Amino acid sequence: MTDLYPSRCEPDPRILPRLEPVVHGSRDPAAPLTPAQIERFDRDGYLVLHNLFTPEEVAALRESATHILADPTALARETVITEPGGAEVRSVFMIHRQSAVMSRLASDVRLAGLARFLLNDEVYIHQSRLNYKPGFVGKEFYWHSDFETWHVEDGMPRMRALSMSILLAPNSELNGPLMVMPGSHRKYLTCVGETPENHYRSSLKRQEYGVPDPDALAALAVEHGIVAATGQAGTVVIFDCNTMHGSNGNITPFPRANAFFVYNAISNRLLAPFGPKSPRPEFVASRQCMPVLDRPAATLLEAAS
Amino acid sequence: MTDLYPSRCEPDPRILPRLEPVVHGSRDPAAPLTPAQIERFDRDGYLVLHNLFTPEEVAALRESATHILADPTALARETVITEPGGAEVRSVFMIHRQSAVMSRLASDVRLAGLARFLLNDEVYIHQSRLNYKPGFVGKEFYWHSDFETWHVEDGMPRMRALSMSILLAPNSELNGPLMVMPGSHRKYLTCVGETPENHYRSSLKRQEYGVPDPDALAALAVEHGIVAATGQAGTVVIFDCNTMHGSNGNITPFPRANAFFVYNAISNRLLAPFGPKSPRPEFVASRQCMPVLDRPAATLLEAAS
């Protein structure tokens, strides 16, 4: 298999063109997004859908999240990631297989239906997480393109995946929200430095390889600008797999929490990694490829009760 | 001397009332601020004056700042503060005595004249700094009231001082701007834990004592909210000595830079510290009390040329 997006194999970073479309679906009247929304996602590489979930649904999801975070011993140990140098839980991976509510959420038509449309294929969950950035001490997450990592370390061949972040707490500019460089998804910025084996154990806490070059990042930021994806709880932020993003730390008392699902097109399932020999484990990058079912919005609250 | 604001001497934090006014000057027509601006500073404990300095003046000040940061060996060694765990310069103290341009800036009527009016007294520079928060790796600065530190560690008796930050680079919500809790300046939140001797050496990098209690901070934040003081280069942010403030880290490529002057009323000059016995050194907390001269705005560029 030719590596269309080689990275971490040359001494200097390069910018390669994106070979796939951003919106794979057709812009027909039955689309679950308006033409303006589709245009925006295509152009910017991200889209904010405010208040997609009702306050009652948010309350149920938060309760589920609190329940998950309150008892990490009930979870597969390797799926629980703590803050660097601390004991606070930062992320729980594979939540769609460890929580009935989160499993139901992942297959909600408001999320999975959009993913299916934008990717124009059946979809499966490549990765899922419950993210919690505590108040006062929440650490930053440095700039990266998810696709670069998923390609090199997981063997995702093409750019036909996207992420959805369901905000479970208000995200303002000041409590470490997702920051994106709009339009950066059209360029593939290669990284330098080979990837050590079993790198994922530390990278889930703090990235050291697959880190973009500062000069290239600065140029991208000047060209594309940086915006924060903010909104109330219940808002959904969708972003393309190759959008450059990161988040600042959070000294405010207001924690940030979200449920996070990566949908990949079935036709884009993982191959052998293009970088290190051994693939990352199932809880970080699924190879099971089970198509996500379609559950109507009306039944989410039933599942949570 | 009775300690009107005891702190770091009880096991639990307390909130004490502020005993001094915020605006000491009279609201007469000759005031250098509009009645609405005075009202806002009085109510919120901070005020943003957009583009107080012209682009030409900003260019000259930036050139001076670049010059100062480029050759730290030309500065008194103890005045140069690096990032925690790094070599990047984070602050240079006592810039008004180490740079002719910064000395001139401190006495500019647009700054010193405002300070004199708001404090209704002759003023002197209690502390001055050039702050530089680099892009990508700029660290956070945790919540604190300056007055708590200046009172306990420096012996400042009363709340009759204020800070002015002259922005030398654009400050957005996303590159680690000053965050304040509007209205928090009317309450004095005591801290717990005694102060070790010579604490200042580490506290200039990262605060460990004189840190407000998280529960009290969270309550303050809920009551007062948190806002970022943002603006273009040339903007001046004024804030009261007791306003609760801090700043997040900065992973954007855009550095943050400002010149920072603390004006204290001559009548409020430093006594012996109310906490540790030995006062902090002159470069952090001046005891010389030289009244700031008054220099007309028109001559700033001459001084810089």
Side-chain angles (χ1 to χ4, degrees):
Chain A
M1 182 84 187
T2 313
D3 185 352
L4 298 171
Y5 295 107
S7 182
R8 310 188 203 177
C9 47
E10 291 181 321
D12 292 306
R14 275 202 297 160
I15 287 184
L16 304 176
R18 179 189 182 112
L19 301 173
E20 297 80 26
V22 179
V23 177
H24 299 254
S26 62
R27 283 143 222 227
D28 66 35
L33 292 169
T34 68
Q37 287 173 323
I38 296 172
E39 213 48 64
R40 216 176 310 145
F41 183 72
D42 191 46
R43 183 192 65 202
D44 296 338
Y46 82 103
L47 186 66
V48 180
L49 299 172
H50 290 282
N51 308 315
L52 196 60
F53 291 89
T54 67
E56 293 71 31
E57 290 173 321
V58 170
L61 294 171
R62 284 175 64 110
E63 198 182 310
S64 167
T66 303
H67 186 75
I68 293 170
L69 291 166
D71 186 14
T73 60
L75 304 164
R77 186 188 287 185
E78 58 179 0
T79 65
V80 180
I81 313 297
T82 52
E83 287 277 327
E88 284 239 48
V89 174
R90 177 183 185 133
S91 300
V92 177
F93 276 73
M94 212 169 68
I95 44 163
H96 72 295
R97 290 203 218 151
Q98 303 196 80
S99 152
V101 176
M102 294 296 163
S103 166
R104 172 61 190 71
L105 179 62
S107 61
D108 194 284
V109 67
R110 287 168 287 182
L111 305 178
L114 287 189
R116 218 174 279 119
F117 164 73
L118 288 168
L119 302 177
N120 197 23
D121 199 353
E122 285 299 310
V123 297
Y124 72 97
I125 301 289
H126 167 68
Q127 182 185 98
S128 75
R129 298 203 296 271
L130 179 62
N131 290 317
Y132 183 75
K133 182 177 274 199
F136 298 123
V137 297
K139 292 289 183 296
E140 71 279 2
F141 216 102
Y142 198 68
W143 298 104
H144 63 289
S145 147
D146 289 326
F147 179 77
E148 196 275 344
T149 298
W150 298 340
H151 181 73
V152 174
E153 300 190 24
D154 300 336
M156 184 182 284
R158 295 284 198 144
M159 294 186 190
R160 196 167 181 173
L162 52 79
S163 297
M164 293 197 187
S165 172
I166 300 91
L167 308 191
L168 301 181
N171 254 210
S172 78
E173 274 89 355
L174 302 182
N175 67 340
L178 177 77
M179 296 190 291
V180 301
M181 298 189 189
S184 60
H185 61 308
R186 298 213 173 267
K187 293 166 182 160
Y188 180 69
L189 177 59
T190 69
C191 299
V192 300
E194 257 192 87
T195 321
E197 293 292 329
N198 290 322
H199 157 56
Y200 75 91
R201 284 187 197 138
S202 61
S203 78
L204 301 184
K205 294 193 179 198
R206 191 186 288 279
Q207 196 82 10
E208 289 173 66
Y209 299 87
V211 173
D213 175 75
D215 291 341
L217 267 185
L220 267 190
V222 167
E223 183 181 350
H224 296 285
I226 295 173
V227 298
T230 61
Q232 290 306 307
T235 292
V236 174
V237 180
I238 312 176
F239 58 102
D240 178 80
C241 59
N242 190 44
T243 302
M244 190 62 72
H245 65 286
S247 62
N248 278 322
N250 175 24
I251 69 158
T252 80
F254 308 121
R256 209 193 72 161
N258 58 58
F260 192 88
F261 301 109
V262 179
Y263 296 91
N264 190 22
I266 287 279
S267 58
N268 194 38
R269 62 167 62 87
L270 302 187
L271 307 173
F274 291 88
K277 284 200 189 79
S278 47
R280 300 194 297 176
E282 178 72 16
F283 78 92
V284 183
S286 178
R287 293 178 179 273
Q288 293 195 1
C289 253
M290 299 261 291
V292 171
L293 299 176
D294 214 346
R295 307 284 181 85
T299 64
L300 178 60
L301 275 177
E302 287 169 32
S305 67
Chain B
M1 182 86 187
T2 314
D3 185 352
L4 298 170
Y5 295 107
S7 181
R8 311 190 203 174
C9 47
E10 292 181 321
D12 292 307
R14 276 200 298 159
I15 287 184
L16 304 177
R18 178 190 183 113
L19 302 173
E20 298 80 26
V22 179
V23 176
H24 299 254
S26 61
R27 282 145 221 226
D28 66 34
L33 292 170
T34 68
Q37 287 174 322
I38 295 172
E39 213 49 64
R40 217 176 310 144
F41 183 72
D42 190 45
R43 183 192 67 203
D44 296 338
Y46 83 102
L47 185 66
V48 180
L49 299 172
H50 289 281
N51 307 316
L52 197 59
F53 291 89
T54 68
E56 293 72 30
E57 289 173 322
V58 170
L61 293 172
R62 285 174 64 111
E63 198 183 307
S64 167
T66 303
H67 187 74
I68 293 169
L69 292 166
D71 186 13
T73 59
L75 304 165
R77 187 187 287 184
E78 58 180 0
T79 66
V80 180
I81 313 297
T82 51
E83 287 277 327
E88 284 239 47
V89 174
R90 175 183 187 136
S91 300
V92 177
F93 276 73
M94 213 171 66
I95 42 162
H96 72 296
R97 290 202 218 153
Q98 302 195 80
S99 152
V101 175
M102 293 297 162
S103 165
R104 173 60 190 73
L105 178 62
S107 60
D108 194 286
V109 67
R110 286 167 287 183
L111 305 179
L114 287 188
R116 219 173 278 123
F117 164 73
L118 289 167
L119 303 176
N120 197 23
D121 198 352
E122 285 300 308
V123 295
Y124 72 96
I125 300 290
H126 168 68
Q127 183 185 95
S128 75
R129 298 203 297 270
L130 180 62
N131 290 316
Y132 182 75
K133 182 176 274 197
F136 297 122
V137 297
K139 292 287 182 299
E140 71 280 1
F141 216 101
Y142 198 68
W143 298 104
H144 63 289
S145 147
D146 289 326
F147 180 75
E148 196 274 345
T149 298
W150 298 341
H151 180 73
V152 174
E153 300 192 25
D154 300 336
M156 185 183 283
R158 295 284 199 142
M159 295 187 189
R160 196 166 181 174
L162 52 78
S163 297
M164 293 198 186
S165 172
I166 300 91
L167 308 191
L168 302 181
N171 254 208
S172 78
E173 273 88 356
L174 302 183
N175 68 338
L178 177 78
M179 297 190 291
V180 301
M181 299 190 189
S184 59
H185 62 306
R186 299 211 171 268
K187 293 165 182 161
Y188 180 69
L189 177 59
T190 69
C191 300
V192 300
E194 257 191 85
T195 321
E197 294 290 328
N198 289 322
H199 158 55
Y200 74 91
R201 284 187 197 137
S202 61
S203 78
L204 301 183
K205 293 192 180 197
R206 190 184 290 277
Q207 195 83 11
E208 288 172 65
Y209 299 87
V211 173
D213 176 76
D215 292 340
L217 265 185
L220 267 189
V222 168
E223 182 181 350
H224 296 286
I226 295 174
V227 299
T230 61
Q232 291 306 307
T235 292
V236 174
V237 180
I238 312 177
F239 59 103
D240 179 80
C241 59
N242 190 43
T243 302
M244 191 61 74
H245 65 286
S247 63
N248 278 323
N250 175 25
I251 70 157
T252 81
F254 308 121
R256 210 194 71 163
N258 59 57
F260 192 87
F261 301 107
V262 180
Y263 297 91
N264 190 21
I266 287 278
S267 58
N268 194 37
R269 61 168 62 87
L270 303 187
L271 308 172
F274 291 88
K277 284 200 190 78
S278 49
R280 300 195 297 176
E282 178 71 17
F283 79 91
V284 183
S286 178
R287 292 176 179 273
Q288 292 196 0
C289 251
M290 298 260 293
V292 172
L293 298 174
D294 212 348
R295 306 285 181 86
T299 64
L300 178 61
L301 276 176
E302 285 169 35
S305 66

